[in-house]
Amino acid sequence: MNKRIFIFLFIIGALCLCGCADDFATKINLDGNSSEGEFNSEAALYGTVQDNYGKPIAGVLVSDGMQTTETDAKGNWQLFSDLKLRRFVFVTIPAGYEVPSKNGIPQFWQRISADEKQFKADFMLMKRTGSDDRYTILMTADPQIRSRSARYDNFAFHSIDMYEDMCRDLRETAASITDRPVYGISLGDLVHNDMSLYPTYCAGIADFDFPVFSVIGNHDHVQNAATDREAVKKFEEYLGPTCYSVELGELHFIFLDNIVMKNNTLDPNNVGAYSDGLSDEAYSWLCNDLKYVDKDRTVMLCAHSSMFRKPDSEPADRDRHGPDYASRLAQYRCVHSWAGHSHINFNYAYSAEEPAPKFPNVESHILARSTGALWLNESMSSDGTPRGYMVVEVDGEAVSWYYKPYSYENDVPSGLDRSHQIRVYAPGAWYSDGYVYANVWNHDARWGAVRYTDSGKSGAEMKRVTVYDGAFVRMADYYNSVQTTATFEPFRTSHMFRILPTTGAAQATVETTDRFGEHYTATVTW
């Protein structure tokens, strides 16, 4: 072969190889992104993220539920996923963009079909026209919808009726807020073991004008599944991924499945068995998500079972991957842990409760059951907290909250509003020790003193005690006396206060100020 021809063909071949390398084997960063803005042909998942003007959005987190990557300057992303194990690909909607929703359900994900070998997912995000630093969250827990024929759901009120009251109240509260965005968060146990009731749950939020981020609870899992992965399928069918995140203003919200179902096909007496904590997959996703969150941020951690302090235990010490997630979250400026599951109201700020706080950056919040006492669906939970939900106000990095009792019971006005934060018990009528008791259900150690005034005392400080709520004890006693198929137990709660009244007094006022400056009063006569 002529030497000149050989050199020419070698150069042409080299150029072709270089071209193929550029097209199909671009350099990949360790996080899975293409440094050249191109896609690798071996990437199982890939796509773009653009705004509503067709402009690429850089720095958006994209995940397959295990791995997480970030869009490059051209809005491109890719992941080398095993599609046999992945059901969704989803984005973390960044601050400054709207949260799209359909029938109240946020739309940040795309479902991956079981037979996909490679999947392209493009996302379009709509830029906000105004600031999203200030907004309101309506947070509920444990509606636990059961069928109307359920044996344990007909003693007092029905869970579906109370769920409808809850949804009506949420709609009206949201409609009254016109100067900022509103979001909903539902902290799990949306249904109670009956997977056919997911449409009922979804129907309740379908006409909301705001998106509701839902968490999976233990009763939302298929109770007789062979694996935890199989147990989440019904939730995924209706509501999407079980672990995900979103940026709302300056805060990073994380939603986690922290219920690990056991193999419940082996023992019929073990149906529904689970352990608290994170599966290996959920923990891996959490770590990969947190890689992209600056340590000086505030993290809002939402799960069904509390991941930090409960009244009688420390989940971070005993739950699956508890020490692992606690050590990672301890690195952040502030963490608010939100949960349901326990059916009580409980607020615990480590730095205010402990002289040498275990987690000084963490506050643990547990919400009472929004539809009232379990099985009864009565007007209060077992710690005396009235049916209701938490209203969380966010302004920049400042987070505040208050408890909102329902305004309705079976569509009948209850007369309750946000001013109802204290229930006072007269001496002798509810407790036999002669004290006046007060239940301040949303109390925490950063509130002001709970003060008492009667004819002989003025602003005396009541002592915090751990006792049963008198109203729930009386309610439980009644239902236990008229039936034998269930037993209703009160909960010893730490948001109770007491004081001995002045001899001869017949009326008293109890008042306190919450940590955000809101003042509440309640009176009692005897």
PDB file of all heavy atoms in Angstrom, residues 8 36 109 120 137 140 234 289 349 368 380 398 401 411 471 484 526:
ATOM      1  N   PHE A   8      -3.089   8.421   5.341  1.00  0.00           N
ATOM      2  CA  PHE A   8      -4.409   9.064   5.225  1.00  0.00           C
ATOM      3  C   PHE A   8      -5.495   8.209   5.869  1.00  0.00           C
ATOM      4  O   PHE A   8      -6.332   8.693   6.619  1.00  0.00           O
ATOM      5  CB  PHE A   8      -4.714   9.283   3.736  1.00  0.00           C
ATOM      6  CG  PHE A   8      -6.099   9.797   3.476  1.00  0.00           C
ATOM      7  CD1 PHE A   8      -6.424  11.125   3.694  1.00  0.00           C
ATOM      8  CD2 PHE A   8      -7.086   8.928   3.029  1.00  0.00           C
ATOM      9  CE1 PHE A   8      -7.693  11.587   3.447  1.00  0.00           C
ATOM     10  CE2 PHE A   8      -8.352   9.393   2.782  1.00  0.00           C
ATOM     11  CZ  PHE A   8      -8.667  10.729   2.998  1.00  0.00           C
ATOM     12  N   GLU A  36     -19.298  16.395  29.551  1.00  0.00           N
ATOM     13  CA  GLU A  36     -19.349  17.069  28.271  1.00  0.00           C
ATOM     14  C   GLU A  36     -20.776  17.414  27.846  1.00  0.00           C
ATOM     15  O   GLU A  36     -20.986  17.885  26.747  1.00  0.00           O
ATOM     16  CB  GLU A  36     -18.699  16.179  27.194  1.00  0.00           C
ATOM     17  CG  GLU A  36     -17.282  15.748  27.507  1.00  0.00           C
ATOM     18  CD  GLU A  36     -16.328  16.910  27.605  1.00  0.00           C
ATOM     19  OE1 GLU A  36     -16.583  17.936  26.943  1.00  0.00           O
ATOM     20  OE2 GLU A  36     -15.348  16.818  28.357  1.00  0.00           O
ATOM     21  N   TRP A 109     -42.247  12.717  39.413  1.00  0.00           N
ATOM     22  CA  TRP A 109     -41.695  11.416  39.102  1.00  0.00           C
ATOM     23  C   TRP A 109     -42.277  10.861  37.807  1.00  0.00           C
ATOM     24  O   TRP A 109     -43.330  11.270  37.356  1.00  0.00           O
ATOM     25  CB  TRP A 109     -41.978  10.427  40.241  1.00  0.00           C
ATOM     26  CG  TRP A 109     -43.387  10.479  40.775  1.00  0.00           C
ATOM     27  CD1 TRP A 109     -43.842  11.268  41.798  1.00  0.00           C
ATOM     28  CD2 TRP A 109     -44.522   9.746  40.314  1.00  0.00           C
ATOM     29  NE1 TRP A 109     -45.187  11.065  42.004  1.00  0.00           N
ATOM     30  CE2 TRP A 109     -45.640  10.130  41.109  1.00  0.00           C
ATOM     31  CE3 TRP A 109     -44.720   8.796  39.318  1.00  0.00           C
ATOM     32  CZ2 TRP A 109     -46.912   9.601  40.930  1.00  0.00           C
ATOM     33  CZ3 TRP A 109     -45.998   8.262  39.138  1.00  0.00           C
ATOM     34  CH2 TRP A 109     -47.070   8.668  39.948  1.00  0.00           C
ATOM     35  N   LYS A 120     -35.679   7.090  28.866  1.00  0.00           N
ATOM     36  CA  LYS A 120     -35.401   8.527  28.775  1.00  0.00           C
ATOM     37  C   LYS A 120     -36.522   9.271  29.491  1.00  0.00           C
ATOM     38  O   LYS A 120     -37.703   9.087  29.184  1.00  0.00           O
ATOM     39  CB  LYS A 120     -35.312   8.977  27.323  1.00  0.00           C
ATOM     40  CG  LYS A 120     -34.929  10.440  27.144  1.00  0.00           C
ATOM     41  CD  LYS A 120     -34.747  10.756  25.645  1.00  0.00           C
ATOM     42  CE  LYS A 120     -34.134  12.141  25.445  1.00  0.00           C
ATOM     43  NZ  LYS A 120     -35.084  13.217  25.772  1.00  0.00           N
ATOM     44  N   ILE A 137     -47.510  24.982  55.685  1.00  0.00           N
ATOM     45  CA  ILE A 137     -47.676  23.539  55.532  1.00  0.00           C
ATOM     46  C   ILE A 137     -48.783  23.074  56.469  1.00  0.00           C
ATOM     47  O   ILE A 137     -48.776  23.408  57.665  1.00  0.00           O
ATOM     48  CB  ILE A 137     -46.382  22.782  55.860  1.00  0.00           C
ATOM     49  CG1 ILE A 137     -45.268  23.190  54.896  1.00  0.00           C
ATOM     50  CG2 ILE A 137     -46.597  21.278  55.791  1.00  0.00           C
ATOM     51  CD1 ILE A 137     -43.909  22.712  55.320  1.00  0.00           C
ATOM     52  N   THR A 140     -50.753  16.452  58.647  1.00  0.00           N
ATOM     53  CA  THR A 140     -51.675  15.525  59.292  1.00  0.00           C
ATOM     54  C   THR A 140     -50.976  14.189  59.547  1.00  0.00           C
ATOM     55  O   THR A 140     -49.901  13.919  59.004  1.00  0.00           O
ATOM     56  CB  THR A 140     -52.920  15.289  58.428  1.00  0.00           C
ATOM     57  OG1 THR A 140     -52.509  14.683  57.186  1.00  0.00           O
ATOM     58  CG2 THR A 140     -53.645  16.590  58.134  1.00  0.00           C
ATOM     59  N   LYS A 234     -48.634  -1.118  46.481  1.00  0.00           N
ATOM     60  CA  LYS A 234     -49.921  -0.424  46.383  1.00  0.00           C
ATOM     61  C   LYS A 234     -49.761   1.070  46.638  1.00  0.00           C
ATOM     62  O   LYS A 234     -50.379   1.893  45.955  1.00  0.00           O
ATOM     63  CB  LYS A 234     -50.934  -1.039  47.355  1.00  0.00           C
ATOM     64  CG  LYS A 234     -51.605  -2.275  46.815  1.00  0.00           C
ATOM     65  CD  LYS A 234     -52.441  -1.943  45.571  1.00  0.00           C
ATOM     66  CE  LYS A 234     -53.086  -3.170  44.980  1.00  0.00           C
ATOM     67  NZ  LYS A 234     -53.879  -2.861  43.762  1.00  0.00           N
ATOM     68  N   ASP A 289     -28.822  11.530  48.684  1.00  0.00           N
ATOM     69  CA  ASP A 289     -29.526  12.811  48.655  1.00  0.00           C
ATOM     70  C   ASP A 289     -28.780  13.852  49.478  1.00  0.00           C
ATOM     71  O   ASP A 289     -28.589  14.993  49.028  1.00  0.00           O
ATOM     72  CB  ASP A 289     -30.945  12.617  49.196  1.00  0.00           C
ATOM     73  CG  ASP A 289     -31.758  13.901  49.147  1.00  0.00           C
ATOM     74  OD1 ASP A 289     -32.233  14.260  48.050  1.00  0.00           O
ATOM     75  OD2 ASP A 289     -31.912  14.559  50.197  1.00  0.00           O
ATOM     76  N   ALA A 349     -37.260  19.232  72.097  1.00  0.00           N
ATOM     77  CA  ALA A 349     -36.074  19.950  71.632  1.00  0.00           C
ATOM     78  C   ALA A 349     -34.902  19.518  72.506  1.00  0.00           C
ATOM     79  O   ALA A 349     -34.848  19.858  73.688  1.00  0.00           O
ATOM     80  CB  ALA A 349     -36.298  21.455  71.717  1.00  0.00           C
ATOM     81  N   ALA A 368     -50.439  13.817  66.902  1.00  0.00           N
ATOM     82  CA  ALA A 368     -51.523  12.928  67.305  1.00  0.00           C
ATOM     83  C   ALA A 368     -52.329  12.485  66.085  1.00  0.00           C
ATOM     84  O   ALA A 368     -52.290  13.113  65.024  1.00  0.00           O
ATOM     85  CB  ALA A 368     -52.425  13.620  68.315  1.00  0.00           C
ATOM     86  N   MET A 380     -60.868  13.113  70.603  1.00  0.00           N
ATOM     87  CA  MET A 380     -59.485  13.328  71.041  1.00  0.00           C
ATOM     88  C   MET A 380     -58.701  12.036  70.920  1.00  0.00           C
ATOM     89  O   MET A 380     -59.271  10.947  70.830  1.00  0.00           O
ATOM     90  CB  MET A 380     -59.455  13.812  72.492  1.00  0.00           C
ATOM     91  CG  MET A 380     -59.951  12.778  73.492  1.00  0.00           C
ATOM     92  SD  MET A 380     -60.086  13.436  75.166  1.00  0.00           S
ATOM     93  CE  MET A 380     -61.562  14.448  74.991  1.00  0.00           C
ATOM     94  N   ALA A 398     -36.823  30.536  59.218  1.00  0.00           N
ATOM     95  CA  ALA A 398     -37.585  30.522  60.456  1.00  0.00           C
ATOM     96  C   ALA A 398     -38.784  29.585  60.322  1.00  0.00           C
ATOM     97  O   ALA A 398     -39.568  29.690  59.372  1.00  0.00           O
ATOM     98  CB  ALA A 398     -38.054  31.933  60.808  1.00  0.00           C
ATOM     99  N   TRP A 401     -44.973  26.856  64.375  1.00  0.00           N
ATOM    100  CA  TRP A 401     -46.102  25.940  64.192  1.00  0.00           C
ATOM    101  C   TRP A 401     -47.134  26.144  65.294  1.00  0.00           C
ATOM    102  O   TRP A 401     -46.841  26.660  66.370  1.00  0.00           O
ATOM    103  CB  TRP A 401     -45.625  24.487  64.163  1.00  0.00           C
ATOM    104  CG  TRP A 401     -44.818  24.097  65.369  1.00  0.00           C
ATOM    105  CD1 TRP A 401     -45.248  23.610  66.559  1.00  0.00           C
ATOM    106  CD2 TRP A 401     -43.384  24.196  65.482  1.00  0.00           C
ATOM    107  NE1 TRP A 401     -44.207  23.388  67.413  1.00  0.00           N
ATOM    108  CE2 TRP A 401     -43.052  23.735  66.782  1.00  0.00           C
ATOM    109  CE3 TRP A 401     -42.361  24.618  64.626  1.00  0.00           C
ATOM    110  CZ2 TRP A 401     -41.726  23.693  67.232  1.00  0.00           C
ATOM    111  CZ3 TRP A 401     -41.062  24.570  65.087  1.00  0.00           C
ATOM    112  CH2 TRP A 401     -40.752  24.114  66.363  1.00  0.00           C
ATOM    113  N   ASP A 411     -69.658  17.169  59.969  1.00  0.00           N
ATOM    114  CA  ASP A 411     -70.170  18.359  59.280  1.00  0.00           C
ATOM    115  C   ASP A 411     -70.858  19.361  60.202  1.00  0.00           C
ATOM    116  O   ASP A 411     -71.348  20.388  59.737  1.00  0.00           O
ATOM    117  CB  ASP A 411     -71.134  17.985  58.144  1.00  0.00           C
ATOM    118  CG  ASP A 411     -70.397  17.593  56.871  1.00  0.00           C
ATOM    119  OD1 ASP A 411     -69.217  17.996  56.742  1.00  0.00           O
ATOM    120  OD2 ASP A 411     -70.984  16.912  56.032  1.00  0.00           O
ATOM    121  N   ALA A 471     -60.167  13.588  80.547  1.00  0.00           N
ATOM    122  CA  ALA A 471     -61.283  13.441  79.610  1.00  0.00           C
ATOM    123  C   ALA A 471     -61.171  12.135  78.842  1.00  0.00           C
ATOM    124  O   ALA A 471     -62.174  11.440  78.615  1.00  0.00           O
ATOM    125  CB  ALA A 471     -61.339  14.616  78.655  1.00  0.00           C
ATOM    126  N   THR A 484     -67.120  -5.394  74.921  1.00  0.00           N
ATOM    127  CA  THR A 484     -66.026  -6.260  75.393  1.00  0.00           C
ATOM    128  C   THR A 484     -65.114  -6.713  74.261  1.00  0.00           C
ATOM    129  O   THR A 484     -64.236  -7.548  74.473  1.00  0.00           O
ATOM    130  CB  THR A 484     -66.612  -7.510  76.088  1.00  0.00           C
ATOM    131  OG1 THR A 484     -67.462  -8.215  75.167  1.00  0.00           O
ATOM    132  CG2 THR A 484     -67.387  -7.128  77.335  1.00  0.00           C
ATOM    133  N   TRP A 526     -65.994  25.537  89.240  1.00  0.00           N
ATOM    134  CA  TRP A 526     -66.420  24.343  89.968  1.00  0.00           C
ATOM    135  C   TRP A 526     -67.225  24.734  91.203  1.00  0.00           C
ATOM    136  O   TRP A 526     -67.274  25.866  91.593  1.00  0.00           O
ATOM    137  CB  TRP A 526     -65.224  23.467  90.357  1.00  0.00           C
ATOM    138  CG  TRP A 526     -64.227  24.095  91.274  1.00  0.00           C
ATOM    139  CD1 TRP A 526     -64.211  24.061  92.636  1.00  0.00           C
ATOM    140  CD2 TRP A 526     -63.059  24.844  90.879  1.00  0.00           C
ATOM    141  NE1 TRP A 526     -63.132  24.738  93.146  1.00  0.00           N
ATOM    142  CE2 TRP A 526     -62.400  25.236  92.075  1.00  0.00           C
ATOM    143  CE3 TRP A 526     -62.505  25.245  89.657  1.00  0.00           C
ATOM    144  CZ2 TRP A 526     -61.215  26.001  92.077  1.00  0.00           C
ATOM    145  CZ3 TRP A 526     -61.350  25.984  89.669  1.00  0.00           C
ATOM    146  CH2 TRP A 526     -60.715  26.356  90.852  1.00  0.00           C
TER     147      TRP A 526
END
